[in-house]
């Protein structure tokens, strides 16, 4: 990917302001909604079974995040996912904590099998757990490196004919055949809750405006990483990092993206 292509994707999001329907968790609702607004998308957080079918019907993308599970929310996710399939609306799925408990693994598998997400984004442990449900993870935090999950990601992508994103210190994006590595980012991002969920939400904005799912996923993760680097340069710690992340995302320019590429290649 080039700075120009990434910038064109960002311009498309700002021009169309796509409605991104999120069924997400209590911890990150505010963070992810603000991130979507900062990038130029229009977020809606709706999880009631009585309205998700109608809401997803007017959305440009659906983001399903199973961070704080409940029986009622799971049913809402399935209803919304099936409706999105009917309307050919792209789905981004975040299997938060998959492998941590049998219940989470079962629900993650159920959502994938019923909703057929276009993109699955998780950390290395979560992606590997989706392939091997007996794997034990450390809650929602990854305990293995992202490159350990490459084979699992490729297998999962081929099995479900989707894009799989493994996020961490290094991000990997695969469609089962192609593999793209994204090395932008800052270690301080790991000290802020919900940054992974934020990247999932942003991927919703990218797939809403770019039918090339692989390109959209790579561009979304690059924007996430570059923004993290810019925010880290201004931050004194995780608190100010979170604030600067939104500001840097809002102001992200082609010049800054080009500079990030130059610095990476030095």
């Amino acid at each position: 990917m080039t700075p120009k292509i990434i910038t064109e994707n960002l311009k498309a999001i700002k021009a169309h302001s796509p409605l991104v329907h999120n069924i997400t968790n209590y911890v990150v609702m505010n963070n992810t909604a603000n991130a979507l607004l900062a990038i130029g998308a229009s977020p809606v957080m709706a999880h009631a079974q009585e309205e998700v079918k109608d809401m997803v019907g007017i959305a440009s993308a659906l983001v399903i995040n199973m961070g704080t599970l409940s029986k009622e929310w799971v049913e809402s996710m399935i209803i919304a996912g099936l409706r999105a399939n009917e309307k050919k609306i792209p789905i981004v799925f975040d299997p938060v904590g998959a492998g941590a408990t049998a219940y989470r693994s079962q629900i993650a598998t159920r959502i994938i099998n019923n909703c057929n997400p276009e993109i699955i984004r998780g950390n290395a442990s979560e992606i590997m757990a989706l392939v091997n449900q007996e794997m034990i993870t450390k809650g929602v935090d990854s305990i293995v490196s992202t490159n350990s999950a490459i084979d699992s990601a490729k297998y999962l992508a081929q099995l479900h004919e989707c894009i799989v994103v493994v996020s961490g210190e290094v991000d990997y994006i695969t469609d089962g055949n192609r593999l793209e590595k994204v090395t932008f980012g800052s270690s301080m991002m790991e000290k802020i809750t919900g940054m992974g969920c934020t990247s999932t939400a942003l991927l919703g904005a990218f797939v809403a405006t770019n039918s090339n799912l692989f390109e959209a996923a790579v561009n979304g993760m690059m924007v996430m990483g570059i923004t993290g680097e810019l925010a880290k340069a201004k931050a004194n710690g995780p608190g100010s990092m979170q604030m600067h992340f939104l500001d840097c995302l809002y102001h992200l320019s082609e010049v800054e993206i080009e500079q990030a590429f130059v610095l990476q290649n030095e």
Side-chain angles (χ1 to χ4, degrees):
M1 299 300 161
T2 65
K4 184 175 179 59
I5 292 174
I6 297 171
T7 302
E8 288 174 352
N9 274 240
L10 286 171
K11 288 180 178 178
I13 293 171
K14 294 181 187 299
H16 297 286
S17 188
L19 180 66
V20 180
H21 178 188
N22 297 262
I23 304 179
T24 190
N25 66 77
Y26 289 119
V27 179
V28 304
M29 282 188 186
N30 183 67
N31 306 49
T32 53
N34 281 329
L36 283 167
L37 286 170
I39 205 171
S42 178
V44 61
M45 278 42 186
H47 54 263
Q49 291 184 36
E50 293 81 3
E51 70 168 346
V52 291
K53 188 174 181 179
D54 292 335
M55 189 64 75
V56 78
I58 61 172
S60 297
L62 171 65
V63 173
I64 298 176
N65 178 308
M66 58 177 234
T68 48
L69 282 176
S70 72
K71 181 179 179 180
E72 292 75 17
W73 280 34
V74 170
E75 296 310 315
S76 294
M77 293 171 183
I78 300 297
I79 292 169
L82 293 174
R83 181 59 170 167
N85 289 168
E86 290 175 7
K87 302 283 288 185
K88 299 188 183 307
I89 294 165
I91 300 172
V92 183
F93 175 51
D94 192 329
V96 180
T101 66
Y103 179 65
R104 281 187 178 273
S105 296
Q106 291 164 6
I107 295 304
T109 299
R110 183 184 171 198
I111 290 171
I112 292 171
N113 290 339
N114 282 273
C115 302
N116 304 301
E118 276 69 23
I119 296 180
I120 300 172
R121 189 222 64 85
N123 62 39
S125 293
E126 291 161 350
I127 296 303
M128 293 173 74
L130 292 176
V131 175
N132 177 13
Q133 291 196 15
E134 293 183 0
M135 179 182 177
I136 303 300
T137 66
K138 181 187 174 186
V140 299
D141 297 318
S142 180
I143 58 174
V144 294
S145 61
T146 51
N147 60 2
S148 301
I150 291 175
D151 288 342
S152 293
K154 287 183 175 180
Y155 174 80
L156 196 65
Q158 291 174 349
L159 181 65
H160 295 287
E161 298 182 344
C162 67
I163 308 298
V164 175
V165 178
V166 188
S167 63
E169 184 177 352
V170 176
D171 304 321
Y172 292 98
I173 301 95
T174 184
D175 60 1
N177 296 304
R178 291 174 290 178
L179 179 70
E180 186 81 22
K181 181 168 71 172
V182 175
T183 57
F184 296 114
S186 166
S187 59
M188 192 178 288
M189 297 170 78
E190 299 175 2
K191 303 299 181 182
I192 303 170
T193 188
M195 289 302 278
C197 299
T198 298
S199 64
T200 301
L202 293 183
L203 289 175
F206 278 88
V207 298
T209 51
N210 187 349
S211 59
N212 185 329
L213 298 175
F214 188 77
E215 180 180 286
V218 173
N219 287 341
M221 296 310 293
M222 284 188 170
V223 164
M224 187 76 189
I226 291 170
T227 303
E229 290 182 359
L230 293 170
K232 171 61 171 64
K234 299 180 179 182
N236 293 316
S240 57
M241 171 80 168
Q242 189 169 36
M243 174 187 69
H244 287 301
F245 181 87
L246 288 175
D247 289 347
C248 290
L249 184 61
Y250 179 77
H251 291 291
L252 187 61
S253 67
E254 185 171 4
V255 171
E256 289 174 319
I257 296 171
E258 289 175 346
Q259 290 175 340
F261 271 78
V262 170
L263 290 172
Q264 186 183 64
N265 293 324
E266 287 182 348

